[in-house]
Amino acid sequence: MPVANVTTIQDVARHAEVSASTVSNVLNGRGDRMRPETRERVQAAIAALQFRPSKLAQQLKTGQTPLLGLLVPSMANPMYGFIAREVESCAQERFGLRLLIGSTYRDAAKEAAFFEDMLAHGVRRVIVISSLAEERHLESAVERGMAVMSYDRRATPGQPSAVGHVTPDNFEAGRLATAHLVAHGHRRLAFVTVAGMTMSRRDKMAGFHAAATAAGLAGSAKVLDGGPLDEYGDSVIAEVGRAMGLQLAADPERPTGLVALNDLMALGLMAGLREGGVAVPRQVSVVGIDGLFLAALSNPGLTHVQLPIREMAQAMVEAIAGEGAPPPEQIFRQVRLVERASVAAPPQ
């Protein structure tokens, strides 16, 4: 079988009547160091020969690949698809980086294994979404030359870290969702979550309790735990919400106002309540926290707290792809309530 001719950098150099190093300078953005007519001649030769530089050769030379790693709890959760889209858009348009995605199910061992694979393949920039309390494996990756950003987690107080952190104001998100239910007259409140305490979940619950306490409801506000997720983690959180909705539908003393851990759980809650014969919002009101596009498509439309996803994604990419070390912590406080039809006054 005949082997196709491959255009090399030497072919471009001969065509443009310059040295191979001159072609390399043009390819690597150093064309301002030469005369304009020389740069134009090289660019014309590249176009005429349809030359494409070898990515493998670039990796061998620099030890890096033009890739940005993104580790998410589960690609089955559409919220992480939304974040990935925003990260990829900024990474490609601003820095010419492609995205490499993996699911970790909030497992530190899986995250550490992904770091090993990425280091071996020349990936030196990674964004991690897990919010785990322990980040020693992230620190280890930084010590080995990787730039790491942690999403939806604050920096640990009193512990200097080379890992960058970007997070929404989860406390305010939980407080805002709860205050909205209180403003509609709800006195029996509950925060619906799953087992396993991440920093973001803890902050949302703290905001929930703060709003309940401010309304004089500290003694009656509950936290309802749907139990541990299976090995698929966040991908089954809607089903956990549905099961909890069915349980609540059978409870005559159920809370009338529910704040869900996130939008996917809120949608599951509404489905379970509906299957159990309980109407939302006539009998039970539900508020989510995220900004998931499905919230506007549900029936009824889900009231939720919108997080600044696009702004946070851009901040992470800029911090990890730019010059210097990522900032230790950036908290985005511009969370806002989006009212739809899932909240009403409690039944009399």
Side-chain angles (χ1 to χ4, degrees):
M1 184 175 180
V3 178
N5 291 327
V6 178
T7 302
T8 67
I9 195 170
Q10 286 78 14
D11 295 329
V12 175
R14 282 192 291 269
H15 192 282
E17 298 180 343
V18 297
S19 67
S21 62
T22 299
V23 178
S24 178
N25 284 335
V26 173
L27 291 171
N28 289 289
R30 298 188 294 269
D32 56 339
R33 302 180 182 180
M34 61 187 69
R35 290 182 298 177
E37 56 268 26
T38 302
R39 182 174 63 250
E40 292 169 5
R41 198 162 68 246
V42 171
Q43 291 170 338
I46 291 171
L49 298 178
Q50 298 182 341
F51 175 69
R52 296 291 180 271
S54 167
K55 297 298 182 183
L56 177 59
Q58 289 179 336
Q59 180 182 348
L60 291 172
K61 183 178 180 181
T62 65
Q64 300 185 29
T65 56
L67 294 173
L68 171 63
L70 175 63
L71 302 183
V72 301
S74 171
M75 285 184 282
N77 186 332
M79 189 61 195
Y80 301 131
F82 177 27
I83 297 171
R85 184 190 70 183
E86 297 300 329
V87 167
E88 181 178 43
S89 175
C90 182
Q92 279 192 295
E93 293 174 7
R94 297 278 304 279
F95 301 98
L97 297 171
R98 298 285 183 179
L99 201 61
L100 183 65
I101 307 178
S103 292
T104 65
Y105 307 104
R106 297 187 194 275
D107 185 314
K110 286 185 172 66
E111 289 179 3
F114 267 113
F115 281 126
E116 291 296 327
D117 291 341
M118 289 181 175
L119 281 164
H121 288 84
V123 180
R124 295 294 182 268
R125 307 172 184 89
V126 180
I127 293 171
V128 183
I129 302 175
S130 69
S131 195
L132 293 174
E134 180 55 66
E135 287 192 324
R136 279 182 294 184
H137 58 300
L138 274 62
E139 295 284 355
S140 176
V142 173
E143 290 170 3
R144 298 172 64 185
M146 192 171 265
V148 180
M149 290 295 295
S150 179
Y151 171 82
D152 202 23
R153 184 195 190 281
R154 291 179 291 108
T156 303
Q159 292 186 15
S161 175
V163 176
H165 298 84
V166 165
T167 181
D169 190 341
N170 285 306
F171 176 90
E172 178 61 13
R175 191 203 66 79
L176 197 59
T178 310
H180 184 64
L181 292 170
V182 171
H184 278 77
H186 291 273
R187 309 293 292 176
R188 300 204 309 271
L189 304 171
F191 185 91
V192 187
T193 184
V194 293
M197 188 57 66
T198 64
M199 290 187 76
S200 62
R201 291 173 191 172
R202 185 182 68 191
D203 289 348
K204 289 175 184 177
M205 278 192 278
F208 165 77
H209 286 302
T213 299
L217 305 174
S220 59
K222 302 177 181 179
V223 173
L224 303 179
D225 190 334
L229 300 175
D230 64 16
E231 69 271 22
Y232 296 105
D234 290 58
S235 62
V236 298
I237 204 165
E239 275 302 309
V240 174
R242 176 175 168 272
M244 294 187 73
L246 282 167
Q247 292 176 13
L248 288 168
D251 182 2
E253 299 300 318
R254 62 181 169 264
T256 63
L258 304 176
V259 177
L261 171 66
N262 58 31
D263 284 358
L264 209 54
M265 172 160 267
L267 294 172
L269 274 171
M270 292 200 299
L273 289 166
R274 182 171 59 248
E275 289 177 39
V278 173
V280 177
R282 184 168 57 83
Q283 292 172 277
V284 175
S285 292
V286 180
V287 182
I289 300 174
D290 253 351
L292 190 62
F293 72 94
L294 293 173
L297 305 178
S298 64
N299 185 20
L302 175 64
T303 293
H304 66 186
V305 176
Q306 173 73 55
L307 306 181
I309 300 299
R310 179 173 290 108
E311 292 81 0
M312 290 187 292
Q314 291 175 353
M316 288 190 293
V317 174
E318 289 170 359
I320 206 170
E323 298 294 331
E329 181 177 88
Q330 292 177 271
I331 300 177
F332 284 73
R333 304 191 184 279
Q334 58 269 42
V335 299
R336 59 186 177 88
L337 187 86
V338 178
E339 294 188 53
R340 296 193 179 94
S342 65
V343 175
Q348 299 300 316

